[in-house]
Amino acid sequence: GAVVSQHPSWVICKSGTSVKIECRSLDFQATTMFWYRQFPKQSLMLMATSNEGSKATYEQGVEKDKFLINHASLTLSTLTVTSAHPEDSSFYICSALLDIQETQYFGPGTRLLVL
Amino acid sequence: DAKTTQPNSMESNEEEPVHLPCNHSTISGTDYIHWYRQLPSQGPEYVIHGLTSNVNNRMASLAIAEDRKSSTLILHRATLRDAAVYYCILRDLEMNYGGSQGNLIFGKGTKLSVKP
């Protein structure tokens, strides 16, 4: 199957700092990528949809100025958590849409801990 | 996307078949049935998807009821590595991929435990 990578796999940062997470589709091009967040013992919640070459679309309640998304190429989308706070600590997961299969392939996730 | 209903948890013995049910009584004619699974501390993994006919791949089989109001994911021989949360998700093929219409809506899924 198609492979999606994320970097870093985990990160610990101090409150107030910014953290960038990369999502790459390794063997296919993805015009659409998605960013999800998952808190412990909960299901995945969509944060935003990232379209190559255009602005991301954010779900209700997700602050676009806090969670900056850039999708500058067909294989890379980045999520930057700006001025991170402890409540932003979560498991962040990206996915890339493989159009010809109508299927999303997910990255392994990035665990963020804000102290 | 239409809603799905799955049991919260199921147990299976290793090397036995597992049938994971999913009800989707409000499914529309253009909804595909997707199954993903999530192992602990990992991102979801695509398992299988189908529209009307039963589907088989190297991971599993998908049996779809004739009226499409339910489906069953079949793991032919469960292994310990199959212990995961399994999500049954409906995805409308006619929706645009831009914006949130292209995303998958995850419910709580079924937590499958496999006993040795």
Side-chain angles (χ1 to χ4, degrees):
Chain A
V3 180
V4 175
S5 70
Q6 279 184 244
H7 178 80
S9 56
W10 59 270
V11 58
I12 301 173
C13 69
K14 292 182 179 180
S15 185
T17 60
S18 294
V19 175
K20 179 186 282 189
I21 303 170
E22 292 186 349
C23 176
R24 293 182 186 271
S25 54
L26 297 185
D27 49 2
F28 66 99
Q29 293 183 329
T31 54
T32 305
M33 292 184 172
F34 302 91
W35 286 95
Y36 294 81
R37 180 167 53 182
Q38 186 176 33
F39 292 106
K41 299 190 184 300
Q42 294 186 23
S43 192
L44 283 76
M45 294 295 294
L46 180 71
M47 298 176 67
T49 302
S50 171
N51 295 297
E52 188 267 338
S54 64
K55 290 184 179 180
T57 302
Y58 291 82
E59 294 301 294
Q60 193 171 8
V62 178
E63 299 175 55
K64 62 179 182 180
D65 294 329
K66 180 171 182 62
F67 298 98
L68 302 180
I69 292 173
N70 183 281
H71 192 160
S73 79
L74 290 173
T75 59
L76 173 65
S77 176
T78 61
L79 169 69
T80 301
V81 183
T82 62
S83 185
H85 291 285
E87 58 265 30
D88 298 323
S89 299
S90 187
F91 192 43
Y92 291 86
I93 307 168
C94 73
S95 71
L97 181 65
L98 180 54
D99 291 330
I100 59 172
Q101 291 185 9
E102 309 290 350
T103 299
Q104 287 187 37
Y105 289 90
F106 287 81
T110 297
R111 195 163 297 281
L112 170 65
L113 177 61
V114 184
L115 302 176
Chain B
D1 291 314
K3 286 187 177 179
T4 63
T5 304
Q6 299 177 253
N8 289 333
S9 62
M10 289 184 65
E11 279 191 353
S12 172
N13 294 318
E14 197 175 12
E15 299 197 0
E16 289 186 356
V18 182
H19 290 230
L20 296 162
C22 181
N23 287 321
H24 28 79
S25 58
T26 58
I27 191 170
S28 75
T30 51
D31 280 330
Y32 271 79
I33 303 160
H34 288 251
W35 283 82
Y36 284 79
R37 71 180 185 181
Q38 187 177 23
L39 279 65
S41 298
Q42 295 187 29
E45 176 186 26
Y46 167 77
V47 178
I48 201 167
H49 77 286
L51 184 62
T52 56
S53 302
N54 294 343
V55 184
N56 298 297
N57 66 21
R58 63 175 180 81
M59 289 183 69
S61 295
L62 176 60
I64 301 172
E66 196 169 335
D67 63 5
R68 300 208 329 122
K69 293 186 176 182
S70 65
S71 61
T72 302
L73 179 70
I74 302 167
L75 306 179
H76 296 286
R77 288 182 65 193
T79 70
L80 297 179
R81 289 176 295 178
D82 291 324
V85 178
Y86 286 79
Y87 298 98
C88 169
I89 304 169
L90 301 184
R91 174 75 174 80
D92 189 342
L93 184 60
E94 291 188 343
M95 282 186 169
N96 296 326
Y97 291 120
S100 61
Q101 293 173 322
N103 77 92
L104 298 170
I105 298 174
F106 285 81
K108 295 184 177 180
T110 296
K111 184 175 182 179
L112 175 66
S113 302
V114 181
K115 295 184 290 185

PDB file of all heavy atoms in Angstrom, chain A residues 54-80:
ATOM      1  N   SER A  54      -3.248  25.829  -2.146  1.00  0.00           N
ATOM      2  CA  SER A  54      -4.308  26.724  -1.666  1.00  0.00           C
ATOM      3  C   SER A  54      -4.374  26.690  -0.145  1.00  0.00           C
ATOM      4  O   SER A  54      -3.701  25.888   0.495  1.00  0.00           O
ATOM      5  CB  SER A  54      -5.661  26.340  -2.274  1.00  0.00           C
ATOM      6  OG  SER A  54      -6.043  25.056  -1.843  1.00  0.00           O
ATOM      7  N   LYS A  55      -5.198  27.559   0.387  1.00  0.00           N
ATOM      8  CA  LYS A  55      -5.307  27.633   1.847  1.00  0.00           C
ATOM      9  C   LYS A  55      -6.032  26.409   2.403  1.00  0.00           C
ATOM     10  O   LYS A  55      -6.935  25.858   1.767  1.00  0.00           O
ATOM     11  CB  LYS A  55      -6.068  28.902   2.243  1.00  0.00           C
ATOM     12  CG  LYS A  55      -5.296  30.190   2.002  1.00  0.00           C
ATOM     13  CD  LYS A  55      -6.086  31.387   2.503  1.00  0.00           C
ATOM     14  CE  LYS A  55      -5.303  32.680   2.288  1.00  0.00           C
ATOM     15  NZ  LYS A  55      -6.060  33.864   2.768  1.00  0.00           N
ATOM     16  N   ALA A  56      -5.648  26.059   3.609  1.00  0.00           N
ATOM     17  CA  ALA A  56      -6.290  24.927   4.268  1.00  0.00           C
ATOM     18  C   ALA A  56      -7.693  25.300   4.729  1.00  0.00           C
ATOM     19  O   ALA A  56      -8.004  26.468   4.964  1.00  0.00           O
ATOM     20  CB  ALA A  56      -5.447  24.485   5.460  1.00  0.00           C
ATOM     21  N   THR A  57      -8.522  24.288   4.841  1.00  0.00           N
ATOM     22  CA  THR A  57      -9.874  24.475   5.367  1.00  0.00           C
ATOM     23  C   THR A  57      -9.921  23.880   6.760  1.00  0.00           C
ATOM     24  O   THR A  57      -9.637  22.695   6.940  1.00  0.00           O
ATOM     25  CB  THR A  57     -10.901  23.758   4.469  1.00  0.00           C
ATOM     26  OG1 THR A  57     -10.795  24.271   3.146  1.00  0.00           O
ATOM     27  CG2 THR A  57     -12.309  23.980   5.001  1.00  0.00           C
ATOM     28  N   TYR A  58     -10.290  24.701   7.732  1.00  0.00           N
ATOM     29  CA  TYR A  58     -10.269  24.269   9.123  1.00  0.00           C
ATOM     30  C   TYR A  58     -11.658  23.869   9.603  1.00  0.00           C
ATOM     31  O   TYR A  58     -12.661  24.453   9.207  1.00  0.00           O
ATOM     32  CB  TYR A  58      -9.728  25.398  10.008  1.00  0.00           C
ATOM     33  CG  TYR A  58      -8.261  25.667   9.796  1.00  0.00           C
ATOM     34  CD1 TYR A  58      -7.826  26.463   8.726  1.00  0.00           C
ATOM     35  CD2 TYR A  58      -7.299  25.127  10.640  1.00  0.00           C
ATOM     36  CE1 TYR A  58      -6.473  26.691   8.512  1.00  0.00           C
ATOM     37  CE2 TYR A  58      -5.955  25.359  10.441  1.00  0.00           C
ATOM     38  CZ  TYR A  58      -5.545  26.137   9.372  1.00  0.00           C
ATOM     39  OH  TYR A  58      -4.207  26.361   9.161  1.00  0.00           O
ATOM     40  N   GLU A  59     -11.695  22.879  10.473  1.00  0.00           N
ATOM     41  CA  GLU A  59     -12.947  22.484  11.089  1.00  0.00           C
ATOM     42  C   GLU A  59     -13.355  23.501  12.147  1.00  0.00           C
ATOM     43  O   GLU A  59     -12.524  24.252  12.678  1.00  0.00           O
ATOM     44  CB  GLU A  59     -12.814  21.097  11.723  1.00  0.00           C
ATOM     45  CG  GLU A  59     -12.596  19.982  10.699  1.00  0.00           C
ATOM     46  CD  GLU A  59     -13.724  19.899   9.704  1.00  0.00           C
ATOM     47  OE1 GLU A  59     -14.860  19.563  10.115  1.00  0.00           O
ATOM     48  OE2 GLU A  59     -13.484  20.153   8.511  1.00  0.00           O
ATOM     49  N   GLN A  60     -14.632  23.500  12.446  1.00  0.00           N
ATOM     50  CA  GLN A  60     -15.143  24.430  13.444  1.00  0.00           C
ATOM     51  C   GLN A  60     -14.443  24.206  14.777  1.00  0.00           C
ATOM     52  O   GLN A  60     -14.285  23.065  15.230  1.00  0.00           O
ATOM     53  CB  GLN A  60     -16.656  24.222  13.608  1.00  0.00           C
ATOM     54  CG  GLN A  60     -17.345  25.319  14.374  1.00  0.00           C
ATOM     55  CD  GLN A  60     -18.866  25.173  14.328  1.00  0.00           C
ATOM     56  OE1 GLN A  60     -19.383  24.167  13.845  1.00  0.00           O
ATOM     57  NE2 GLN A  60     -19.569  26.169  14.815  1.00  0.00           N
ATOM     58  N   GLY A  61     -14.027  25.299  15.389  1.00  0.00           N
ATOM     59  CA  GLY A  61     -13.381  25.215  16.687  1.00  0.00           C
ATOM     60  C   GLY A  61     -11.868  25.075  16.633  1.00  0.00           C
ATOM     61  O   GLY A  61     -11.212  25.109  17.675  1.00  0.00           O
ATOM     62  N   VAL A  62     -11.312  24.917  15.443  1.00  0.00           N
ATOM     63  CA  VAL A  62      -9.856  24.813  15.296  1.00  0.00           C
ATOM     64  C   VAL A  62      -9.327  26.171  14.859  1.00  0.00           C
ATOM     65  O   VAL A  62      -9.736  26.702  13.825  1.00  0.00           O
ATOM     66  CB  VAL A  62      -9.480  23.737  14.259  1.00  0.00           C
ATOM     67  CG1 VAL A  62      -7.961  23.680  14.081  1.00  0.00           C
ATOM     68  CG2 VAL A  62     -10.019  22.377  14.692  1.00  0.00           C
ATOM     69  N   GLU A  63      -8.418  26.728  15.639  1.00  0.00           N
ATOM     70  CA  GLU A  63      -7.905  28.074  15.355  1.00  0.00           C
ATOM     71  C   GLU A  63      -6.863  28.033  14.239  1.00  0.00           C
ATOM     72  O   GLU A  63      -5.794  27.440  14.393  1.00  0.00           O
ATOM     73  CB  GLU A  63      -7.260  28.660  16.613  1.00  0.00           C
ATOM     74  CG  GLU A  63      -8.201  28.815  17.795  1.00  0.00           C
ATOM     75  CD  GLU A  63      -7.452  29.278  19.022  1.00  0.00           C
ATOM     76  OE1 GLU A  63      -6.777  30.327  18.929  1.00  0.00           O
ATOM     77  OE2 GLU A  63      -7.521  28.601  20.063  1.00  0.00           O
ATOM     78  N   LYS A  64      -7.159  28.681  13.141  1.00  0.00           N
ATOM     79  CA  LYS A  64      -6.242  28.649  12.000  1.00  0.00           C
ATOM     80  C   LYS A  64      -4.946  29.402  12.267  1.00  0.00           C
ATOM     81  O   LYS A  64      -3.908  29.102  11.670  1.00  0.00           O
ATOM     82  CB  LYS A  64      -6.914  29.200  10.747  1.00  0.00           C
ATOM     83  CG  LYS A  64      -7.336  30.647  10.847  1.00  0.00           C
ATOM     84  CD  LYS A  64      -7.979  31.106   9.547  1.00  0.00           C
ATOM     85  CE  LYS A  64      -8.373  32.565   9.612  1.00  0.00           C
ATOM     86  NZ  LYS A  64      -9.000  33.024   8.355  1.00  0.00           N
ATOM     87  N   ASP A  65      -4.979  30.386  13.166  1.00  0.00           N
ATOM     88  CA  ASP A  65      -3.754  31.128  13.467  1.00  0.00           C
ATOM     89  C   ASP A  65      -2.863  30.373  14.440  1.00  0.00           C
ATOM     90  O   ASP A  65      -1.691  30.696  14.596  1.00  0.00           O
ATOM     91  CB  ASP A  65      -4.103  32.501  14.047  1.00  0.00           C
ATOM     92  CG  ASP A  65      -4.804  33.371  13.028  1.00  0.00           C
ATOM     93  OD1 ASP A  65      -4.515  33.215  11.824  1.00  0.00           O
ATOM     94  OD2 ASP A  65      -5.640  34.200  13.430  1.00  0.00           O
ATOM     95  N   LYS A  66      -3.422  29.399  15.101  1.00  0.00           N
ATOM     96  CA  LYS A  66      -2.638  28.610  16.047  1.00  0.00           C
ATOM     97  C   LYS A  66      -2.076  27.359  15.367  1.00  0.00           C
ATOM     98  O   LYS A  66      -0.959  26.947  15.636  1.00  0.00           O
ATOM     99  CB  LYS A  66      -3.503  28.183  17.229  1.00  0.00           C
ATOM    100  CG  LYS A  66      -2.746  27.353  18.255  1.00  0.00           C
ATOM    101  CD  LYS A  66      -3.556  27.147  19.501  1.00  0.00           C
ATOM    102  CE  LYS A  66      -2.736  26.357  20.505  1.00  0.00           C
ATOM    103  NZ  LYS A  66      -1.507  27.060  20.913  1.00  0.00           N
ATOM    104  N   PHE A  67      -2.841  26.787  14.492  1.00  0.00           N
ATOM    105  CA  PHE A  67      -2.423  25.572  13.786  1.00  0.00           C
ATOM    106  C   PHE A  67      -2.226  25.931  12.312  1.00  0.00           C
ATOM    107  O   PHE A  67      -3.151  25.876  11.509  1.00  0.00           O
ATOM    108  CB  PHE A  67      -3.455  24.466  13.945  1.00  0.00           C
ATOM    109  CG  PHE A  67      -3.672  24.038  15.369  1.00  0.00           C
ATOM    110  CD1 PHE A  67      -4.744  24.525  16.102  1.00  0.00           C
ATOM    111  CD2 PHE A  67      -2.792  23.160  15.984  1.00  0.00           C
ATOM    112  CE1 PHE A  67      -4.941  24.139  17.420  1.00  0.00           C
ATOM    113  CE2 PHE A  67      -2.977  22.758  17.297  1.00  0.00           C
ATOM    114  CZ  PHE A  67      -4.053  23.253  18.016  1.00  0.00           C
ATOM    115  N   LEU A  68      -0.992  26.299  11.986  1.00  0.00           N
ATOM    116  CA  LEU A  68      -0.683  26.754  10.626  1.00  0.00           C
ATOM    117  C   LEU A  68      -0.386  25.553   9.733  1.00  0.00           C
ATOM    118  O   LEU A  68       0.425  24.711  10.064  1.00  0.00           O
ATOM    119  CB  LEU A  68       0.527  27.692  10.657  1.00  0.00           C
ATOM    120  CG  LEU A  68       0.394  28.934  11.533  1.00  0.00           C
ATOM    121  CD1 LEU A  68       1.672  29.758  11.470  1.00  0.00           C
ATOM    122  CD2 LEU A  68      -0.792  29.772  11.107  1.00  0.00           C
ATOM    123  N   ILE A  69      -1.044  25.518   8.600  1.00  0.00           N
ATOM    124  CA  ILE A  69      -0.862  24.404   7.667  1.00  0.00           C
ATOM    125  C   ILE A  69      -0.352  24.931   6.339  1.00  0.00           C
ATOM    126  O   ILE A  69      -0.869  25.909   5.805  1.00  0.00           O
ATOM    127  CB  ILE A  69      -2.183  23.639   7.469  1.00  0.00           C
ATOM    128  CG1 ILE A  69      -2.554  22.913   8.755  1.00  0.00           C
ATOM    129  CG2 ILE A  69      -2.077  22.650   6.310  1.00  0.00           C
ATOM    130  CD1 ILE A  69      -3.908  22.262   8.740  1.00  0.00           C
ATOM    131  N   ASN A  70       0.683  24.256   5.843  1.00  0.00           N
ATOM    132  CA  ASN A  70       1.250  24.600   4.551  1.00  0.00           C
ATOM    133  C   ASN A  70       1.349  23.351   3.696  1.00  0.00           C
ATOM    134  O   ASN A  70       1.843  22.331   4.149  1.00  0.00           O
ATOM    135  CB  ASN A  70       2.640  25.230   4.735  1.00  0.00           C
ATOM    136  CG  ASN A  70       3.239  25.668   3.414  1.00  0.00           C
ATOM    137  OD1 ASN A  70       3.761  24.870   2.639  1.00  0.00           O
ATOM    138  ND2 ASN A  70       3.134  26.956   3.133  1.00  0.00           N
ATOM    139  N   HIS A  71       0.856  23.427   2.470  1.00  0.00           N
ATOM    140  CA  HIS A  71       0.885  22.265   1.572  1.00  0.00           C
ATOM    141  C   HIS A  71       1.508  22.730   0.265  1.00  0.00           C
ATOM    142  O   HIS A  71       0.822  22.909  -0.738  1.00  0.00           O
ATOM    143  CB  HIS A  71      -0.551  21.759   1.367  1.00  0.00           C
ATOM    144  CG  HIS A  71      -0.643  20.418   0.708  1.00  0.00           C
ATOM    145  ND1 HIS A  71      -1.775  19.645   0.805  1.00  0.00           N
ATOM    146  CD2 HIS A  71       0.217  19.718  -0.051  1.00  0.00           C
ATOM    147  CE1 HIS A  71      -1.600  18.528   0.134  1.00  0.00           C
ATOM    148  NE2 HIS A  71      -0.400  18.542  -0.392  1.00  0.00           N
ATOM    149  N   ALA A  72       2.812  22.951   0.307  1.00  0.00           N
ATOM    150  CA  ALA A  72       3.504  23.600  -0.798  1.00  0.00           C
ATOM    151  C   ALA A  72       3.817  22.678  -1.957  1.00  0.00           C
ATOM    152  O   ALA A  72       4.094  23.136  -3.058  1.00  0.00           O
ATOM    153  CB  ALA A  72       4.799  24.232  -0.288  1.00  0.00           C
ATOM    154  N   SER A  73       3.793  21.384  -1.729  1.00  0.00           N
ATOM    155  CA  SER A  73       4.076  20.455  -2.821  1.00  0.00           C
ATOM    156  C   SER A  73       3.105  19.287  -2.754  1.00  0.00           C
ATOM    157  O   SER A  73       2.356  19.138  -1.790  1.00  0.00           O
ATOM    158  CB  SER A  73       5.511  19.945  -2.744  1.00  0.00           C
ATOM    159  OG  SER A  73       5.627  18.913  -1.772  1.00  0.00           O
ATOM    160  N   LEU A  74       3.128  18.467  -3.779  1.00  0.00           N
ATOM    161  CA  LEU A  74       2.204  17.339  -3.856  1.00  0.00           C
ATOM    162  C   LEU A  74       2.590  16.185  -2.938  1.00  0.00           C
ATOM    163  O   LEU A  74       1.883  15.182  -2.865  1.00  0.00           O
ATOM    164  CB  LEU A  74       2.097  16.834  -5.300  1.00  0.00           C
ATOM    165  CG  LEU A  74       1.365  17.771  -6.259  1.00  0.00           C
ATOM    166  CD1 LEU A  74       1.476  17.262  -7.682  1.00  0.00           C
ATOM    167  CD2 LEU A  74      -0.094  17.917  -5.868  1.00  0.00           C
ATOM    168  N   THR A  75       3.713  16.316  -2.248  1.00  0.00           N
ATOM    169  CA  THR A  75       4.133  15.234  -1.360  1.00  0.00           C
ATOM    170  C   THR A  75       4.410  15.699   0.064  1.00  0.00           C
ATOM    171  O   THR A  75       4.833  14.897   0.895  1.00  0.00           O
ATOM    172  CB  THR A  75       5.406  14.541  -1.906  1.00  0.00           C
ATOM    173  OG1 THR A  75       6.447  15.519  -2.016  1.00  0.00           O
ATOM    174  CG2 THR A  75       5.156  13.900  -3.265  1.00  0.00           C
ATOM    175  N   LEU A  76       4.172  16.971   0.349  1.00  0.00           N
ATOM    176  CA  LEU A  76       4.514  17.471   1.675  1.00  0.00           C
ATOM    177  C   LEU A  76       3.472  18.453   2.195  1.00  0.00           C
ATOM    178  O   LEU A  76       3.108  19.408   1.524  1.00  0.00           O
ATOM    179  CB  LEU A  76       5.886  18.154   1.647  1.00  0.00           C
ATOM    180  CG  LEU A  76       6.314  18.879   2.939  1.00  0.00           C
ATOM    181  CD1 LEU A  76       6.497  17.885   4.070  1.00  0.00           C
ATOM    182  CD2 LEU A  76       7.604  19.674   2.697  1.00  0.00           C
ATOM    183  N   SER A  77       3.020  18.183   3.411  1.00  0.00           N
ATOM    184  CA  SER A  77       2.184  19.130   4.140  1.00  0.00           C
ATOM    185  C   SER A  77       2.793  19.286   5.528  1.00  0.00           C
ATOM    186  O   SER A  77       3.294  18.313   6.095  1.00  0.00           O
ATOM    187  CB  SER A  77       0.747  18.628   4.250  1.00  0.00           C
ATOM    188  OG  SER A  77      -0.039  19.515   5.033  1.00  0.00           O
ATOM    189  N   THR A  78       2.762  20.505   6.042  1.00  0.00           N
ATOM    190  CA  THR A  78       3.300  20.729   7.385  1.00  0.00           C
ATOM    191  C   THR A  78       2.236  21.357   8.271  1.00  0.00           C
ATOM    192  O   THR A  78       1.410  22.153   7.816  1.00  0.00           O
ATOM    193  CB  THR A  78       4.544  21.640   7.363  1.00  0.00           C
ATOM    194  OG1 THR A  78       4.172  22.912   6.816  1.00  0.00           O
ATOM    195  CG2 THR A  78       5.654  21.032   6.548  1.00  0.00           C
ATOM    196  N   LEU A  79       2.283  20.977   9.539  1.00  0.00           N
ATOM    197  CA  LEU A  79       1.414  21.548  10.568  1.00  0.00           C
ATOM    198  C   LEU A  79       2.310  22.176  11.611  1.00  0.00           C
ATOM    199  O   LEU A  79       3.182  21.501  12.170  1.00  0.00           O
ATOM    200  CB  LEU A  79       0.552  20.453  11.203  1.00  0.00           C
ATOM    201  CG  LEU A  79      -0.215  20.842  12.475  1.00  0.00           C
ATOM    202  CD1 LEU A  79      -1.326  21.833  12.141  1.00  0.00           C
ATOM    203  CD2 LEU A  79      -0.808  19.613  13.150  1.00  0.00           C
ATOM    204  N   THR A  80       2.127  23.462  11.854  1.00  0.00           N
ATOM    205  CA  THR A  80       2.893  24.147  12.882  1.00  0.00           C
ATOM    206  C   THR A  80       1.959  24.544  14.010  1.00  0.00           C
ATOM    207  O   THR A  80       0.982  25.271  13.783  1.00  0.00           O
ATOM    208  CB  THR A  80       3.592  25.397  12.323  1.00  0.00           C
ATOM    209  OG1 THR A  80       4.468  25.022  11.256  1.00  0.00           O
ATOM    210  CG2 THR A  80       4.407  26.091  13.410  1.00  0.00           C
TER     211      THR A  80
END
